[in-house]
Amino acid sequence: MNRTARAFWISSPGHGEIRDLTLPDPADGEVLVRSLYSGVSRGTETLVFRGGVPESQYAAMRAPFQEGDFPGPVKYGYLNVGVVEEGPGHLVGRTVFCLYPHQTRYVVPVDAVTVVPSAVPAERAVLAGTVETAVNALWDAAPLVGDRIAVVGGGMVGSSVAALLARFPGVRVQLVDADPARAKTAEALGIDFAAPEDALGDCDLVVHASASEQGLARSLELLRAEGTVLELSWYGDRQVSLPLGEAFHSRRLVIRSSQVGTVSPRRSNRTYADRLALALDLLTDAALDALVTGESAFEELPEVLPGLTAGRIEALCHRIRYPDPGTSA
């Protein structure tokens, strides 16, 4: 069995390279996985790529199989779909999802991989980590039947949240974004769309995912009295100004954070594995293909990350395609 592999590393902020490595033999309780696809988590990974992780958050921001340290050199990523080549018999040949960086092959413990349901194509399964974030956010938000909800920020996470909310009975959900191109994504997901100035107000809940202080301020404006903004954006090393004067106190508004690093305390009886398995089950919905808006070959990653970071490549989820084993390691 071929034991060579190639991995994408951030060599220093703003620069990436592909490195060769030799894999160990999988031990008992481990699997060797050959990557089929991985996804670039555009918000977090571009922030890591530009060196924007605050030193105070170095430990909290570590990915499960990260190598190296911020700001670099570091191997970072967590949306990988592959096929098991070696390991326990019941897993060999199965398509699995793993929170692993961009690498052609890798060895991990058996409990680090989750089998992708047969009804979910490998190409779509790269969205599992993002849908898992959306699941955790909705566990935190606890929306109710008939709620009026806005999702401000139509990126990868915001669109995933809106797509799941659209399944709730009687809910009025609107995706809000300053980019009119996001209307096409909303239409594909079966969701109403509005520009920020045209968004419907009197919301019971606003989920904010635009990573901008303008979006957060607008989210507060869209709430009814005693409504809640669930904050999903992560700003890295940027300072954010927020209007907490005016009617913030008199209307008794709430801002609550949500982060996928821990399972929502509202579902303390669930595990990380339960949450990820649920996310994969939800990916049977083909409408979620609308969240994958670009694809590149693995070898192109050193050019793709700068393009995504600078905005030259427009994408929600940018999928990375790995070479056929007959042509490359």
Side-chain angles (χ1 to χ4, degrees), residues 39-45 78-80 97 99 124-138 155-162 164 232 260 275-276 279-280 282-283 288 291-292 316-318:
V40 178
S41 179
R42 186 182 177 200
T44 302
E45 286 196 57
Y78 46 82
L79 301 174
N80 189 291
F97 178 86
L99 297 169
R124 190 185 307 150
V126 297
L127 296 168
T130 305
V131 174
E132 183 183 11
T133 300
V135 167
N136 205 58
L138 295 182
M156 195 173 167
V157 171
S159 293
S160 297
V161 170
L164 298 189
L232 286 180
V260 73
R275 191 177 65 184
L276 180 56
L280 282 163
L282 291 170
L283 281 168
L288 293 170
L291 301 181
V292 179
L316 293 176
C317 176
H318 196 84

Short mmCIF file of all heavy atoms in Angstrom, two decimals, residues 39-45 78-80 97 99 124-138 155-162 164 232 260 275-276 279-280 282-283 288 291-292 316-318:
data_model
loop_
_atom_site.label_atom_id
_atom_site.label_comp_id
_atom_site.label_asym_id
_atom_site.label_seq_id
_atom_site.Cartn_x
_atom_site.Cartn_y
_atom_site.Cartn_z
N GLY A 39 -13.55 20.72 1.93
CA GLY A 39 -14.18 22.02 1.74
C GLY A 39 -13.37 23.09 2.45
O GLY A 39 -12.81 22.86 3.53
N VAL A 40 -13.30 24.26 1.84
CA VAL A 40 -12.67 25.41 2.49
C VAL A 40 -13.76 26.16 3.25
O VAL A 40 -14.72 26.65 2.65
CB VAL A 40 -12.00 26.35 1.47
CG1 VAL A 40 -11.42 27.57 2.19
CG2 VAL A 40 -10.92 25.62 0.69
N SER A 41 -13.65 26.18 4.56
CA SER A 41 -14.56 26.96 5.39
C SER A 41 -14.14 28.42 5.25
O SER A 41 -13.23 28.89 5.93
CB SER A 41 -14.47 26.50 6.84
OG SER A 41 -15.32 27.25 7.66
N ARG A 42 -14.80 29.13 4.33
CA ARG A 42 -14.26 30.39 3.85
C ARG A 42 -14.01 31.42 4.95
O ARG A 42 -12.95 32.05 5.00
CB ARG A 42 -15.19 30.98 2.79
CG ARG A 42 -14.61 32.21 2.14
CD ARG A 42 -15.57 32.81 1.14
NE ARG A 42 -14.99 34.04 0.59
CZ ARG A 42 -15.72 34.96 0.00
NH1 ARG A 42 -17.01 34.83 -0.11
NH2 ARG A 42 -15.14 36.04 -0.48
N GLY A 43 -14.95 31.60 5.85
CA GLY A 43 -14.77 32.62 6.88
C GLY A 43 -13.60 32.31 7.80
O GLY A 43 -12.67 33.11 7.94
N THR A 44 -13.61 31.13 8.41
CA THR A 44 -12.57 30.78 9.38
C THR A 44 -11.23 30.55 8.70
O THR A 44 -10.19 31.04 9.16
CB THR A 44 -12.98 29.54 10.17
OG1 THR A 44 -14.21 29.79 10.83
CG2 THR A 44 -11.92 29.19 11.21
N GLU A 45 -11.22 29.81 7.60
CA GLU A 45 -9.94 29.45 6.99
C GLU A 45 -9.24 30.65 6.35
O GLU A 45 -8.01 30.74 6.36
CB GLU A 45 -10.12 28.33 5.98
CG GLU A 45 -10.35 26.99 6.63
CD GLU A 45 -10.15 25.83 5.68
OE1 GLU A 45 -9.05 25.70 5.11
OE2 GLU A 45 -11.10 25.04 5.51
N TYR A 78 -10.93 21.34 8.32
CA TYR A 78 -11.77 20.39 9.08
C TYR A 78 -13.01 19.93 8.29
O TYR A 78 -14.01 19.56 8.90
CB TYR A 78 -12.20 21.02 10.41
CG TYR A 78 -12.70 22.45 10.31
CD1 TYR A 78 -14.01 22.73 9.93
CD2 TYR A 78 -11.85 23.51 10.57
CE1 TYR A 78 -14.46 24.02 9.84
CE2 TYR A 78 -12.29 24.82 10.49
CZ TYR A 78 -13.60 25.07 10.12
OH TYR A 78 -14.04 26.37 10.02
N LEU A 79 -12.94 19.94 6.98
CA LEU A 79 -14.08 19.48 6.18
C LEU A 79 -13.57 18.49 5.14
O LEU A 79 -13.35 18.83 3.98
CB LEU A 79 -14.77 20.67 5.48
CG LEU A 79 -15.32 21.78 6.37
CD1 LEU A 79 -15.83 22.94 5.51
CD2 LEU A 79 -16.42 21.27 7.28
N ASN A 80 -13.38 17.24 5.54
CA ASN A 80 -12.76 16.25 4.66
C ASN A 80 -13.68 15.04 4.47
O ASN A 80 -14.22 14.52 5.44
CB ASN A 80 -11.41 15.82 5.24
CG ASN A 80 -10.62 14.96 4.28
OD1 ASN A 80 -10.99 13.83 3.99
ND2 ASN A 80 -9.52 15.51 3.78
N PHE A 97 -16.71 11.01 6.68
CA PHE A 97 -16.40 12.42 6.93
C PHE A 97 -15.46 12.49 8.13
O PHE A 97 -15.62 11.75 9.10
CB PHE A 97 -17.67 13.21 7.23
CG PHE A 97 -17.42 14.67 7.54
CD1 PHE A 97 -17.31 15.60 6.52
CD2 PHE A 97 -17.25 15.09 8.85
CE1 PHE A 97 -17.06 16.93 6.80
CE2 PHE A 97 -17.00 16.42 9.15
CZ PHE A 97 -16.90 17.35 8.12
N LEU A 99 -12.93 15.50 10.47
CA LEU A 99 -12.50 16.88 10.72
C LEU A 99 -10.99 16.99 10.50
O LEU A 99 -10.23 17.32 11.40
CB LEU A 99 -12.88 17.29 12.14
CG LEU A 99 -14.38 17.31 12.45
CD1 LEU A 99 -14.61 17.46 13.95
CD2 LEU A 99 -15.08 18.42 11.69
N ARG A 124 -21.36 16.43 -1.68
CA ARG A 124 -22.18 17.25 -0.78
C ARG A 124 -21.77 17.09 0.67
O ARG A 124 -21.97 17.99 1.48
CB ARG A 124 -23.66 16.90 -0.94
CG ARG A 124 -24.63 17.86 -0.25
CD ARG A 124 -26.08 17.37 -0.34
NE ARG A 124 -26.44 17.09 -1.71
CZ ARG A 124 -27.33 16.16 -2.09
NH1 ARG A 124 -27.93 15.41 -1.18
NH2 ARG A 124 -27.60 15.98 -3.36
N ALA A 125 -21.18 15.96 0.99
CA ALA A 125 -20.85 15.67 2.39
C ALA A 125 -19.80 16.63 2.96
O ALA A 125 -19.66 16.72 4.18
CB ALA A 125 -20.37 14.22 2.52
N VAL A 126 -19.08 17.36 2.11
CA VAL A 126 -18.12 18.34 2.64
C VAL A 126 -18.83 19.44 3.42
O VAL A 126 -18.20 20.17 4.20
CB VAL A 126 -17.27 18.99 1.53
CG1 VAL A 126 -16.41 17.95 0.83
CG2 VAL A 126 -18.11 19.75 0.53
N LEU A 127 -20.15 19.56 3.26
CA LEU A 127 -20.92 20.57 3.98
C LEU A 127 -21.25 20.14 5.41
O LEU A 127 -21.86 20.91 6.17
CB LEU A 127 -22.23 20.87 3.24
CG LEU A 127 -22.10 21.50 1.86
CD1 LEU A 127 -23.45 21.46 1.14
CD2 LEU A 127 -21.59 22.93 1.96
N ALA A 128 -20.88 18.93 5.80
CA ALA A 128 -21.30 18.39 7.10
C ALA A 128 -20.88 19.28 8.25
O ALA A 128 -21.65 19.51 9.19
CB ALA A 128 -20.75 16.98 7.28
N GLY A 129 -19.66 19.80 8.22
CA GLY A 129 -19.20 20.64 9.32
C GLY A 129 -19.98 21.93 9.43
O GLY A 129 -20.24 22.42 10.54
N THR A 130 -20.37 22.49 8.29
CA THR A 130 -21.16 23.72 8.31
C THR A 130 -22.58 23.47 8.78
O THR A 130 -23.13 24.25 9.57
CB THR A 130 -21.17 24.36 6.90
OG1 THR A 130 -19.83 24.54 6.47
CG2 THR A 130 -21.89 25.68 6.92
N VAL A 131 -23.19 22.39 8.30
CA VAL A 131 -24.54 22.05 8.75
C VAL A 131 -24.52 21.70 10.23
O VAL A 131 -25.46 22.02 10.97
CB VAL A 131 -25.13 20.92 7.90
CG1 VAL A 131 -26.48 20.46 8.44
CG2 VAL A 131 -25.29 21.37 6.44
N GLU A 132 -23.44 21.09 10.71
CA GLU A 132 -23.30 20.82 12.14
C GLU A 132 -23.30 22.12 12.94
O GLU A 132 -23.91 22.21 14.00
CB GLU A 132 -22.02 20.03 12.39
CG GLU A 132 -21.83 19.64 13.84
CD GLU A 132 -20.52 18.91 14.09
OE1 GLU A 132 -19.66 18.90 13.20
OE2 GLU A 132 -20.35 18.38 15.20
N THR A 133 -22.61 23.15 12.42
CA THR A 133 -22.63 24.46 13.07
C THR A 133 -24.05 25.01 13.12
O THR A 133 -24.48 25.58 14.14
CB THR A 133 -21.72 25.44 12.31
OG1 THR A 133 -20.38 24.94 12.31
CG2 THR A 133 -21.74 26.82 12.94
N ALA A 134 -24.79 24.85 12.02
CA ALA A 134 -26.17 25.32 11.97
C ALA A 134 -27.06 24.57 12.96
O ALA A 134 -27.91 25.17 13.63
CB ALA A 134 -26.72 25.17 10.55
N VAL A 135 -26.85 23.27 13.07
CA VAL A 135 -27.61 22.47 14.04
C VAL A 135 -27.37 22.99 15.45
O VAL A 135 -28.31 23.20 16.24
CB VAL A 135 -27.24 20.98 13.93
CG1 VAL A 135 -27.78 20.20 15.14
CG2 VAL A 135 -27.78 20.38 12.64
N ASN A 136 -26.10 23.20 15.80
CA ASN A 136 -25.77 23.68 17.14
C ASN A 136 -26.36 25.06 17.40
O ASN A 136 -26.85 25.36 18.49
CB ASN A 136 -24.26 23.72 17.32
CG ASN A 136 -23.84 23.59 18.77
OD1 ASN A 136 -24.17 22.61 19.44
ND2 ASN A 136 -23.11 24.58 19.27
N ALA A 137 -26.34 25.91 16.36
CA ALA A 137 -26.91 27.25 16.50
C ALA A 137 -28.41 27.18 16.78
O ALA A 137 -28.93 27.92 17.63
CB ALA A 137 -26.66 28.06 15.23
N LEU A 138 -29.10 26.28 16.11
CA LEU A 138 -30.54 26.17 16.33
C LEU A 138 -30.86 25.50 17.66
O LEU A 138 -31.90 25.78 18.27
CB LEU A 138 -31.20 25.44 15.16
CG LEU A 138 -31.11 26.20 13.83
CD1 LEU A 138 -31.83 25.44 12.73
CD2 LEU A 138 -31.70 27.60 13.96
N GLY A 155 -23.82 33.94 3.88
CA GLY A 155 -22.66 33.11 3.58
C GLY A 155 -22.97 31.64 3.84
O GLY A 155 -24.12 31.22 3.95
N MET A 156 -21.91 30.86 3.97
CA MET A 156 -22.05 29.42 4.11
C MET A 156 -22.85 29.03 5.35
O MET A 156 -23.79 28.24 5.30
CB MET A 156 -20.64 28.82 4.15
CG MET A 156 -20.54 27.34 3.93
SD MET A 156 -18.78 26.92 3.83
CE MET A 156 -18.87 25.14 3.98
N VAL A 157 -22.50 29.63 6.50
CA VAL A 157 -23.18 29.29 7.75
C VAL A 157 -24.59 29.87 7.77
O VAL A 157 -25.56 29.17 8.11
CB VAL A 157 -22.36 29.78 8.96
CG1 VAL A 157 -23.16 29.62 10.24
CG2 VAL A 157 -21.06 29.01 9.07
N GLY A 158 -24.73 31.15 7.44
CA GLY A 158 -26.05 31.77 7.46
C GLY A 158 -27.04 31.07 6.54
O GLY A 158 -28.19 30.82 6.92
N SER A 159 -26.60 30.72 5.35
CA SER A 159 -27.49 30.03 4.41
C SER A 159 -27.86 28.64 4.93
O SER A 159 -29.00 28.18 4.74
CB SER A 159 -26.83 29.92 3.04
OG SER A 159 -26.68 31.19 2.45
N SER A 160 -26.92 27.96 5.59
CA SER A 160 -27.23 26.65 6.17
C SER A 160 -28.28 26.77 7.27
O SER A 160 -29.23 25.97 7.34
CB SER A 160 -25.96 26.01 6.74
OG SER A 160 -25.01 25.76 5.74
N VAL A 161 -28.13 27.77 8.13
CA VAL A 161 -29.12 28.01 9.19
C VAL A 161 -30.49 28.30 8.59
O VAL A 161 -31.52 27.74 9.02
CB VAL A 161 -28.67 29.17 10.10
CG1 VAL A 161 -29.79 29.58 11.05
CG2 VAL A 161 -27.43 28.79 10.89
N ALA A 162 -30.53 29.17 7.58
CA ALA A 162 -31.81 29.52 6.96
C ALA A 162 -32.45 28.30 6.30
O ALA A 162 -33.68 28.13 6.38
CB ALA A 162 -31.59 30.63 5.92
N LEU A 164 -32.22 25.17 7.23
CA LEU A 164 -32.82 24.33 8.26
C LEU A 164 -34.06 24.98 8.86
O LEU A 164 -35.05 24.30 9.15
CB LEU A 164 -31.79 24.02 9.36
CG LEU A 164 -30.54 23.24 8.94
CD1 LEU A 164 -29.73 22.84 10.18
CD2 LEU A 164 -30.89 22.03 8.11
N LEU A 232 -23.49 34.41 15.45
CA LEU A 232 -22.66 33.32 14.95
C LEU A 232 -21.34 33.81 14.35
O LEU A 232 -20.45 33.01 14.11
CB LEU A 232 -23.42 32.53 13.86
CG LEU A 232 -24.54 31.62 14.33
CD1 LEU A 232 -25.17 30.92 13.13
CD2 LEU A 232 -24.02 30.59 15.31
N VAL A 260 -19.61 26.42 17.71
CA VAL A 260 -19.72 24.98 17.49
C VAL A 260 -18.70 24.18 18.29
O VAL A 260 -18.79 22.96 18.37
CB VAL A 260 -19.60 24.67 15.98
CG1 VAL A 260 -18.16 24.85 15.51
CG2 VAL A 260 -20.14 23.30 15.64
N ARG A 275 -24.28 14.96 17.07
CA ARG A 275 -24.53 16.19 16.31
C ARG A 275 -24.07 16.05 14.86
O ARG A 275 -24.76 16.46 13.92
CB ARG A 275 -23.83 17.35 17.01
CG ARG A 275 -24.20 18.73 16.50
CD ARG A 275 -23.49 19.80 17.32
NE ARG A 275 -22.03 19.74 17.16
CZ ARG A 275 -21.19 20.51 17.83
NH1 ARG A 275 -21.63 21.39 18.71
NH2 ARG A 275 -19.89 20.41 17.63
N LEU A 276 -22.88 15.46 14.67
CA LEU A 276 -22.36 15.30 13.31
C LEU A 276 -23.19 14.30 12.52
O LEU A 276 -23.47 14.52 11.33
CB LEU A 276 -20.90 14.84 13.37
CG LEU A 276 -20.21 14.64 12.03
CD1 LEU A 276 -20.28 15.90 11.17
CD2 LEU A 276 -18.75 14.22 12.23
N ALA A 279 -26.20 16.07 11.30
CA ALA A 279 -25.88 16.96 10.18
C ALA A 279 -25.76 16.18 8.88
O ALA A 279 -26.27 16.62 7.83
CB ALA A 279 -24.58 17.70 10.47
N LEU A 280 -25.13 15.01 8.91
CA LEU A 280 -25.00 14.21 7.71
C LEU A 280 -26.35 13.70 7.23
O LEU A 280 -26.63 13.67 6.02
CB LEU A 280 -24.04 13.04 7.96
CG LEU A 280 -22.56 13.42 7.94
CD1 LEU A 280 -21.71 12.33 8.59
CD2 LEU A 280 -22.10 13.67 6.51
N LEU A 282 -29.16 15.26 7.56
CA LEU A 282 -29.86 16.41 6.97
C LEU A 282 -29.36 16.72 5.57
O LEU A 282 -30.07 17.37 4.78
CB LEU A 282 -29.67 17.64 7.87
CG LEU A 282 -30.39 17.58 9.23
CD1 LEU A 282 -29.93 18.72 10.13
CD2 LEU A 282 -31.90 17.62 9.04
N LEU A 283 -28.17 16.23 5.23
CA LEU A 283 -27.60 16.51 3.91
C LEU A 283 -28.19 15.63 2.81
O LEU A 283 -27.74 15.69 1.65
CB LEU A 283 -26.08 16.34 3.95
CG LEU A 283 -25.34 17.53 4.56
CD1 LEU A 283 -23.88 17.18 4.83
CD2 LEU A 283 -25.41 18.73 3.61
N LEU A 288 -29.30 21.66 -0.76
CA LEU A 288 -28.10 22.18 -0.11
C LEU A 288 -26.89 22.21 -1.05
O LEU A 288 -25.87 22.84 -0.72
CB LEU A 288 -27.78 21.37 1.15
CG LEU A 288 -28.81 21.54 2.28
CD1 LEU A 288 -28.57 20.52 3.38
CD2 LEU A 288 -28.78 22.94 2.85
N LEU A 291 -25.06 25.49 -1.80
CA LEU A 291 -24.04 26.10 -0.95
C LEU A 291 -22.62 25.87 -1.47
O LEU A 291 -21.68 26.52 -1.03
CB LEU A 291 -24.15 25.56 0.48
CG LEU A 291 -25.49 25.78 1.18
CD1 LEU A 291 -25.46 25.21 2.58
CD2 LEU A 291 -25.85 27.26 1.21
N VAL A 292 -22.47 24.92 -2.38
CA VAL A 292 -21.16 24.68 -2.99
C VAL A 292 -21.10 25.47 -4.29
O VAL A 292 -21.78 25.15 -5.25
CB VAL A 292 -20.92 23.19 -3.27
CG1 VAL A 292 -19.55 22.98 -3.91
CG2 VAL A 292 -21.03 22.38 -1.98
N LEU A 316 -19.30 30.45 -1.59
CA LEU A 316 -19.81 30.10 -0.27
C LEU A 316 -18.89 28.99 0.26
O LEU A 316 -17.92 29.24 0.92
CB LEU A 316 -21.27 29.66 -0.35
CG LEU A 316 -22.26 30.76 -0.75
CD1 LEU A 316 -23.66 30.19 -0.89
CD2 LEU A 316 -22.26 31.89 0.28
N CYS A 317 -19.20 27.74 -0.10
CA CYS A 317 -18.25 26.66 0.17
C CYS A 317 -17.45 26.41 -1.11
O CYS A 317 -18.04 26.19 -2.18
CB CYS A 317 -18.97 25.38 0.59
SG CYS A 317 -17.86 23.97 0.81
N HIS A 318 -16.14 26.47 -1.01
CA HIS A 318 -15.28 26.14 -2.16
C HIS A 318 -14.77 24.73 -1.95
O HIS A 318 -14.06 24.44 -0.99
CB HIS A 318 -14.13 27.13 -2.28
CG HIS A 318 -13.46 27.08 -3.61
ND1 HIS A 318 -13.93 27.77 -4.71
CD2 HIS A 318 -12.38 26.39 -4.04
CE1 HIS A 318 -13.16 27.53 -5.75
NE2 HIS A 318 -12.22 26.69 -5.36
#
